Amino acid sequence: MSRRGFAALTLVAAVACRGIAQSSTIPDTPAGSVIRVWQEAFNSGDTLRILDYYRRFQPERIAQGTVNFRLASGGFDIISIERSEPRHIELVVRERKTPATYYGVVDLAPSDPVRVASSTLAAMGPNADVSQLRVSAEARAKVIEGAITQLDSFYVFPEVAKRIADSLRYWNAHGRYDSYMNALPLDIARDRAQVDQVNCAFQKVENLDGNIGYVKFNAFFDVDDCGATAAAAMNFVAGAKALVIDLRENGGGQPAMVSYIASYLFSKRTHLNDIWVRGSGRTDEFWSRNDVPGRKFGGEKPVYVLTSSRTFSGGEEFTYDLKAQKRATIVGETTGGGAHPVSGHRIDEHFMIGVPFARAINPITHTNWEGTGVEPDVKVPAADALTTALRMIREGIRP
């Protein structure tokens, strides 16, 4: 789903490339210092050091999958620094266990303490060379026009697509994109091995003191791939007297998995969400299911959902659906505000664009959370959400 519905040119990574450095020496800059800490922690194989890096610089990215990735790759060697600025760095790295190479891009937030605003580590493919990724001004213009064609055909709001097209053409004519000279092909395939590596994004399932169930998962993967994992998690907490579902790091995923997991929280079939698709005019309905495997938690016992400003897309849908049905108490921060599903469309052999092509319509509110996020019932900092929810459960406090 879109980041506030804006489908700017999300070319499957176009990275700026001014002043190629062609050195493997990490620069003495704020961005370089972050890369140095990352490499030392990642290559150490020490789980605590890796997690400490993410807590310091990228707390929203803490995941067991990162540790698993370290085990699979054996760490990274820096092959070259392709671009270096105080708060921006681009580099090529190679896995130690395999010949696989990656192009990394890191941008720091403009404030202190130092935090990573965005980062990408994308596979370059076998025998790839950075020089092969160069994009000419002519090719850049063709990509922009290709992106406009896809927006015109699929973007959920045609009038917004027209404004985006006008903006892209204007800024291209005025040199805004001249610095974008590299096309970085990303491997966007999610195969079964990758899903298994992160355990279908389920990080923790446990029974806390007082028979309180706790489930933390960070994405909604396909039901076909991860339905059994979700079922096992929900069955484990089915007998709890209350349930806490932690979505503070959940970035979204598949609507079918949203309704699948929600099915464990309702005793009868319930209409949860609709998605209207621009291209076909079709409306897909999503209902809770009666036929999920195992035992349900049911529709009567209390449920608390934890949120943060990083909760997004499908994580927000799950939260919004339960809030609209008055089935859960939401504790934490207002969520990110992305309610428009995105599909990938190929522009040419090197570029793709993600286009919001549909919108969620809740059957109760007849609207969604696009641009506004989901407001919690109990607003507290995300870091305090779990302790707040547990205190409310144990003391019998209802908002």
Side-chain angles (χ1 to χ4, degrees):
M1 294 187 182
S2 68
R3 177 74 56 182
R4 305 196 188 283
F6 181 67
L9 202 58
T10 48
L11 307 177
V12 174
V15 296
C17 188
R18 295 187 296 268
I20 301 300
Q22 295 297 336
S23 169
S24 60
T25 302
I26 299 175
D28 188 17
T29 63
S33 296
V34 169
I35 290 295
R36 186 176 292 106
V37 175
W38 168 79
Q39 185 186 32
E40 291 175 354
F42 206 75
N43 287 353
S44 73
D46 186 329
T47 299
L48 294 180
R49 288 185 65 180
I50 295 172
L51 294 179
D52 181 64
Y53 162 82
Y54 282 97
R55 289 190 184 98
R56 289 175 60 190
F57 300 114
Q58 293 181 272
E60 73 282 1
R61 293 282 294 273
I62 297 175
Q64 182 61 37
T66 300
V67 178
N68 293 339
F69 185 38
R70 160 63 182 85
L71 296 174
S73 67
F76 285 104
D77 291 319
I78 295 175
I79 305 304
S80 63
I81 305 296
E82 295 295 322
R83 178 183 170 196
S84 175
E85 295 178 3
R87 290 183 175 269
H88 176 93
I89 192 167
E90 298 173 20
L91 66 163
V92 177
V93 299
R94 178 181 292 126
E95 286 189 10
R96 289 183 167 179
K97 284 189 176 181
T98 77
T101 57
Y102 298 81
Y103 200 104
V105 182
V106 173
D107 282 289
L108 302 187
S111 59
D112 291 317
V114 172
R115 287 291 177 91
V116 173
S118 64
S119 64
T120 298
L121 190 63
M124 291 176 59
N127 303 314
D129 184 89
V130 173
S131 64
Q132 298 172 330
L133 306 178
R134 300 289 185 259
V135 177
S136 66
E138 179 183 7
R140 192 163 53 243
K142 287 182 178 179
V143 167
I144 289 171
E145 289 302 317
I148 288 171
T149 297
Q150 299 297 334
L151 291 167
D152 183 62
S153 298
F154 299 104
Y155 193 76
V156 60
F157 296 123
E159 67 280 6
V160 176
K162 176 64 167 59
R163 292 201 299 270
I164 295 173
D166 292 343
S167 178
L168 288 171
R169 288 188 176 118
Y170 174 85
W171 288 116
N172 188 49
H174 288 75
R176 170 68 66 86
Y177 309 123
D178 288 355
S179 64
Y180 290 82
M181 300 174 60
N182 274 15
L184 179 59
L186 302 182
D187 180 4
I188 61 172
R190 288 186 182 274
D191 59 23
R192 180 70 214 190
Q194 290 175 308
V195 172
D196 286 342
Q197 189 177 65
V198 297
N199 193 38
C200 291
F202 279 81
Q203 285 199 318
K204 187 175 290 188
V205 181
E206 58 185 333
N207 196 289
L208 304 177
D209 289 345
N211 193 28
I212 300 170
Y214 175 79
V215 180
K216 176 178 172 58
F217 56 98
N218 294 344
F220 291 87
F221 286 121
D222 288 338
V223 174
D224 288 346
D225 289 335
C226 293
T229 302
M234 299 306 292
N235 274 261
F236 183 83
V237 297
K241 74 172 187 180
L243 178 61
V244 177
I245 299 177
D246 192 341
L247 303 183
R248 288 177 291 179
E249 297 176 49
N250 192 298
Q254 301 300 318
M257 180 61 99
V258 172
S259 59
Y260 183 86
I261 295 177
S263 298
Y264 284 91
L265 308 177
F266 292 89
S267 297
K268 62 181 181 179
R269 192 166 181 263
T270 302
H271 190 185
L272 299 173
N273 188 42
D274 292 333
I275 293 182
W276 175 81
V277 180
R278 175 199 163 186
S280 64
R282 183 186 74 247
T283 298
D284 294 327
E285 296 185 353
F286 292 86
W287 293 66
S288 66
R289 295 167 48 169
N290 292 327
D291 61 344
V292 287
R295 180 184 176 190
K296 288 187 175 185
F297 181 78
E300 292 74 39
K301 295 181 288 185
V303 176
Y304 289 74
V305 176
L306 311 184
T307 61
S308 76
S309 61
R310 299 185 299 275
T311 306
F312 197 68
S313 186
E316 296 179 278
E317 181 192 333
F318 186 91
T319 304
Y320 193 92
D321 293 350
L322 295 188
K323 183 177 181 179
Q325 294 287 344
K326 302 186 185 304
R327 181 61 192 95
T329 300
I330 316 304
V331 181
E333 300 171 345
T334 302
T335 62
H340 294 163
V342 172
S343 61
H345 298 272
R346 186 166 292 282
I347 297 172
D348 60 20
E349 65 270 28
H350 298 297
F351 292 93
M352 292 182 67
I353 183 171
V355 181
F357 67 98
R359 61 188 175 96
I361 304 173
N362 184 273
I364 293 176
T365 68
H366 305 293
T367 184
N368 60 46
W369 58 96
E370 177 68 27
T372 62
V374 184
E375 288 282 340
D377 299 306
V378 180
K379 186 171 286 189
V380 297
D384 300 331
L386 178 57
T387 55
T388 300
L390 292 177
R391 178 177 57 82
M392 293 176 67
I393 294 170
R394 288 163 178 158
E395 296 179 6
I397 301 171
R398 301 300 294 268

